[in-house]
Amino acid sequence: MLFIVDDSQSMNLSNFKSFINEAYDKIKKLNSGELELKLISLNQRVNELGDILPNGKFSSWAQVQEIIRKESKDVDVTHVFFATDAQLSHLDSPNPLGRTIYVIPFGKEVIGQKLGLLVPSKPLISVLNEPIHVPISVWSNGQVNRKTPSINVLLNGQLFRELKVEFDRNVDFKQVDLEMVGKRQGKFEVSIHWSESPNDSQTFTWIVQEFKANIEAYAIAPNPSIGVINRIAKEAHMNVHWNFTQQVNSLAPADNYLFYGILPKELPKDKSIWILNVLPENLKQIPQMEEMSSIGEHFPSVWKKWVAQRTSLSANSLELWKEQMAEMKAKGNHQYIDSAINELFKISFLRKADDLFSLELNQTSFLLGEEVVFELRQLEQENLQLKGLQLNVEIKGGGTTTRFNRKITQAHQVESFIPSRPGNYQYIATLQGANKVVEFKGKFTVQDLNLESVKGRNSVNLQLLASKDGVKVVELAGLSSISFNDTINTDKGKLKEINLWEWPYFGLVMLMILAVEWIIRKSLHQI
């Protein structure tokens, strides 16, 4: 169990100490000594409750998710308590599945904006004619006289769709579904704003690709996790052709490969590769892997990237299977694990062969004083050997112009910039080297909204958090009545897996499948 305390400046009220002490005591009583209870502060290392001081400069929901992700690496985190006034940013960060997060509001209620909305900050990727659904969180905060305001959706500056929002009498927060189907290939800017406030908009990037990946996959024998992969691949417009063999001596021609529990003598270069369920000692022959914390929407700690390859990913299928079982118990379906792997499929296998570099913002909307982070990736093996690569960035906005140059020395390099003024910003980044020039353009907004200067709880943010799966807003007085019946039993998931393998007819079924495959290959003269 984790008890995370928001230690930002907005929490600096006279009753802060007594509040977190009372919350900590109630959580300890709930625990009854059965689980380890760990205390964590958002912006500082602490050993005990008395060390926490409300003087942190920044607080975000993403920080909470990052803490949960790190703490879940070596132990099972079953429940999380988070004491906060909800003056948070990065509210669209997803929750790690299987952990219940109890948000304990602090401070008196402060009425925020009358109308608000929140859209995804990360780029969305789809293929031609594939429908995607974008959740738009909207709220009225009980201040709307007309109960059916409308939202304008613009595609590259042109009106694309108008959505009506009907707030119920007693409910002033809800999610509106925006369905979009890509009819043509390209990169699109989607802007969303209330029809009455056209200057206050939020934007995200939508990439529509024509490419549908064909993947050559290699494994020793069929198993349940392969069935999971096949189902998700079909939904992601991927065609996976499985090769079952005891040893990979040669590879069929392809741009995309997946290796399950087996590795070839030499990994192909400049290809998109997935490596799953390979023993750690066998992975030692592969160069250092870099954790991809920003790619897995729901399970970022599971996915790793091999920095020397273009878009290679590695995962442990046991974790995949455990998450499937956990979600089946909690939700009765595979919706979230499927969507996470679906996204990873697209990111790893839908890359174009001429994608030499990728430059992306970590988000498109920032608060004043917050870092604007650019992530630069070299997606081709040869680029790692090039000398003299230079990144030139020009940023205009807020009445200022900023320029900086950086030498490119790593496959994944992060550059940051802190705006000094609010406003709408535009950037142009050019990458020069090896007789090539690659240009990237984009824009972002900086708001002069210092959440940490507002004393009191942000009721709008609390409404948004309460709408998320696995998040429960519980007042301090209600902590004692919490029931832990929704705890996910990971042992039960393991038991299901063991029972499946120990089924007396399992070996016979596998033998029959291999026999059918042998007959088909024989008839096609592939053997």
Side-chain angles (χ1 to χ4, degrees), residues 465-483:
L465 292 177
S467 71
K468 293 178 178 288
D469 288 326
V471 178
K472 298 180 180 179
V473 177
V474 182
E475 295 290 344
L476 182 62
L479 271 180
S480 303
S481 59
I482 288 178
S483 173

Side-chain angles (χ1 to χ4, degrees), residues 141-176:
N141 208 23
Q143 303 296 308
V144 178
N145 296 324
R146 183 164 58 87
K147 291 295 181 181
T148 55
S150 61
I151 295 173
N152 290 340
V153 181
L154 282 70
L155 197 63
N156 286 347
Q158 301 296 320
L159 184 63
F160 171 69
R161 184 169 299 166
E162 183 177 311
L163 302 175
K164 293 290 185 181
V165 183
E166 295 186 4
F167 289 105
D168 299 330
R169 176 173 298 179
N170 298 319
V171 178
D172 57 1
F173 177 89
K174 66 188 309 181
Q175 284 194 331
V176 179

Side-chain angles (χ1 to χ4, degrees), residues 205-225:
T205 301
W206 178 29
I207 301 171
V208 181
Q209 299 188 135
E210 186 179 9
F211 184 70
K212 297 185 179 181
N214 291 307
I215 304 162
E216 286 291 330
Y218 293 83
I220 296 176
N223 64 67
S225 291

Side-chain angles (χ1 to χ4, degrees), residues 10 18 63 84 173 193 221 240 247 340:
S10 62
S18 60
Q63 283 178 285
T84 180
F173 177 89
H193 62 77
V240 182
Q247 185 175 354

Side-chain angles (χ1 to χ4, degrees), residues 2-264:
L2 302 178
F3 179 37
I4 304 173
V5 178
D6 182 351
D7 61 353
S8 59
Q9 296 172 8
S10 62
M11 297 282 286
N12 191 10
L13 297 175
S14 58
N15 61 332
F16 172 76
K17 285 289 185 182
S18 60
F19 179 87
I20 60 173
N21 274 287
E22 184 177 352
Y24 188 65
D25 290 340
K26 290 188 175 184
I27 294 170
K28 283 198 299 185
K29 290 180 181 179
L30 285 173
N31 186 18
S32 302
E34 297 176 0
L35 301 170
E36 178 187 355
L37 176 59
K38 186 171 183 178
L39 177 67
I40 299 177
S41 184
L42 274 190
N43 293 290
Q44 55 190 307
R45 292 180 176 273
V46 297
N47 295 317
E48 56 186 33
L49 209 58
D51 296 337
I52 301 178
L53 300 174
N55 54 14
K57 294 182 178 180
F58 187 68
S59 63
S60 75
W61 185 243
Q63 283 178 285
V64 178
Q65 308 313 313
E66 180 68 7
I67 288 171
I68 298 172
R69 185 186 68 80
K70 287 182 178 179
E71 295 296 327
S72 302
K73 282 186 175 181
D74 300 320
V75 297
D76 287 331
V77 175
T78 57
H79 293 90
V80 180
F81 295 85
F82 178 42
T84 180
D85 57 3
Q87 303 292 357
L88 306 165
S89 61
H90 301 283
L91 292 171
D92 60 337
S93 298
N95 308 326
L97 186 65
R99 287 89 176 172
T100 302
I101 304 176
Y102 295 95
V103 177
I104 310 170
F106 171 71
K108 296 181 179 179
E109 183 173 334
V110 177
I111 298 296
Q113 58 199 111
K114 294 182 179 180
L115 285 173
L117 54 84
L118 185 70
V119 300
S121 60
K122 295 181 179 178
L124 301 180
I125 302 175
S126 68
V127 297
L128 286 174
N129 299 315
E130 176 194 12
I132 62 172
H133 294 266
V134 183
I136 305 175
S137 301
V138 299
W139 59 83
S140 70
N141 208 23
Q143 303 296 308
V144 178
N145 296 324
R146 183 164 58 87
K147 291 295 181 181
T148 55
S150 61
I151 295 173
N152 290 340
V153 181
L154 282 70
L155 197 63
N156 286 347
Q158 301 296 320
L159 184 63
F160 171 69
R161 184 169 299 166
E162 183 177 311
L163 302 175
K164 293 290 185 181
V165 183
E166 295 186 4
F167 289 105
D168 299 330
R169 176 173 298 179
N170 298 319
V171 178
D172 57 1
F173 177 89
K174 66 188 309 181
Q175 284 194 331
V176 179
D177 178 69
L178 169 62
E179 180 178 353
M180 300 190 300
V181 179
K183 297 296 185 183
R184 58 190 177 92
Q185 185 179 352
K187 186 175 182 180
F188 304 94
E189 180 184 273
V190 182
S191 298
I192 298 177
H193 62 77
W194 292 105
S195 57
E196 298 174 351
S197 306
N199 295 325
D200 186 17
S201 64
Q202 295 200 32
T203 304
F204 64 90
T205 301
W206 178 29
I207 301 171
V208 181
Q209 299 188 135
E210 186 179 9
F211 184 70
K212 297 185 179 181
N214 291 307
I215 304 162
E216 286 291 330
Y218 293 83
I220 296 176
N223 64 67
S225 291
I226 288 178
V228 172
I229 295 167
N230 280 338
R231 183 183 71 249
I232 300 166
K234 183 178 180 181
E235 295 173 356
H237 300 273
M238 310 286 174
N239 177 33
V240 182
H241 175 251
W242 285 95
N243 302 273
F244 296 106
T245 178
Q246 296 297 315
Q247 185 175 354
V248 183
N249 295 317
S250 61
L251 296 174
D255 288 328
N256 311 286
Y257 292 95
L258 189 155
F259 302 102
Y260 185 93
I262 191 171
L263 285 174

